[in-house]
Amino acid sequence: DGGITQSPKYLFRKEGQNVTLSCEQNLNHDAMYWYRQDPGQGLRLIYYSQIVNDFQKGDIAEGYSVSREKKESFPLTVTSAQKNPTAFYLCASMTVWTGITEAFFGQGTRLTVV
Amino acid sequence: RKEVEQDPGPFNVPEGATVAFNCTYSNSASQSFFWYRQDCRKEPKLLMSVYSSGNEDGRFTAQLNRASQYISLLIRDSKLSDSATYLCVGQGAAGNKLTFGGGTRVLVKP
């Protein structure tokens, strides 16, 4: 089955530690996105990538880093510079063309700082 | 001002009633819009795409008003299972960026 997979589902991070969240898709989508969601809030864009080896900062990129070495994969690293990383992280992918398209989401990763 | 804004609610709706709520957007260059549904602690899932002036899918009707820059969602004959948060999403002119509103919470009660 085609889809987008995030792992792990739950992640605990110690203060000062970097952690990497995985996002893999087999939908052959060009664009991939990382969003952060805080309780009772909407989704805020962290980073996005439209093509391999290229990515752009979203609205809240500070304290995060990404890579896009393969079309299928878009991992997100939450660095120690991110002062309040506890949140629900969602990865999405979609095709990129000039028409209208749908974004598909992974099931999310809940990150908690302990 | 946020690019996409929604009334957070909650909208408390009797089962079987009709509920409608809006989403306003500030970027007039936005090409298209979507309504996503998000259940508690789950990922968002596409409910409807909003093309041109709007569209209908069963009990759900979405309207787009470009002159006033808002999108509406109407739910008829509300079911208990319609209880969720509804996220309004704007897609940029280049088709490469999706901007989410904060969501509108709907609670359908017996």
Side-chain angles (χ1 to χ4, degrees), chain A residues 16-67:
Chain A
Q17 192 178 48
N18 292 357
V19 290
T20 298
L21 282 59
S22 170
C23 179
E24 303 275 335
Q25 53 97 2
N26 59 4
L27 300 165
N28 199 32
H29 285 170
D30 302 297
M32 297 186 74
Y33 304 79
W34 275 106
Y35 289 90
R36 168 183 173 140
Q37 188 175 36
D38 293 284
Q41 305 292 316
L43 278 65
R44 291 185 291 166
L45 182 63
I46 304 172
Y47 269 99
Y48 64 105
S49 168
Q50 297 182 75
I51 194 170
V52 174
N53 292 323
D54 187 49
F55 47 83
Q56 288 78 42
K57 291 182 179 180
D59 302 315
I60 56 165
E62 186 174 349
Y64 300 97
S65 65
V66 293
S67 62

Side-chain angles (χ1 to χ4, degrees), chain B residues 83-99:
Chain B
S83 296
T85 296
Y86 292 85
L87 300 167
C88 175
V89 186
Q91 184 175 22
N96 59 354
K97 186 177 177 183
L98 298 177
T99 302

Side-chain angles (χ1 to χ4, degrees), chain A residues 10 33 35 37 40-43 45 48 50 59 88 90 94 97 99-103 105-107 110, chain B residues 2 32 34 36 38 41-44 46 49-51 87 91 94-103:
Chain A
Y10 298 96
Y33 304 79
Y35 289 90
Q37 188 175 36
Q41 305 292 316
L43 278 65
L45 182 63
Y48 64 105
Q50 297 182 75
D59 302 315
F88 186 39
L90 287 156
M94 70 179 188
W97 55 295
I100 298 168
T101 186
E102 173 188 351
F105 283 86
Q107 291 186 310
R110 292 198 176 274
Chain B
K2 291 183 180 178
S32 53
F34 306 87
Y36 275 75
Q38 187 176 27
R41 303 177 72 83
K42 300 284 189 180
E43 76 276 20
L46 182 68
S49 302
V50 188
Y51 310 148
L87 300 167
Q91 184 175 22
N96 59 354
K97 186 177 177 183
L98 298 177
T99 302
F100 284 77

Side-chain angles (χ1 to χ4, degrees), chain B residues 18 21 29 33 39 46 52 55 58 97 99 102:
Chain B
T18 295
F21 42 90
F33 301 89
D39 293 297
L46 182 68
S52 59
N55 54 302
K97 186 177 177 183
T99 302

Side-chain angles (χ1 to χ4, degrees), chain B residues 35-102:
Chain B
W35 283 104
Y36 275 75
R37 172 197 169 122
Q38 187 176 27
D39 293 297
C40 189
R41 303 177 72 83
K42 300 284 189 180
E43 76 276 20
K45 294 188 178 178
L46 182 68
L47 177 67
M48 296 182 73
S49 302
V50 188
Y51 310 148
S52 59
S53 60
N55 54 302
E56 184 174 324
D57 183 3
R59 298 183 293 108
F60 298 84
T61 300
Q63 296 283 342
L64 170 60
N65 186 316
R66 288 197 183 273
S68 301
Q69 295 190 197
Y70 74 86
I71 311 99
S72 64
L73 181 66
L74 182 146
I75 307 173
R76 285 181 296 276
D77 188 22
S78 297
K79 312 292 184 189
L80 297 177
S81 58
D82 293 334
S83 296
T85 296
Y86 292 85
L87 300 167
C88 175
V89 186
Q91 184 175 22
N96 59 354
K97 186 177 177 183
L98 298 177
T99 302
F100 284 77

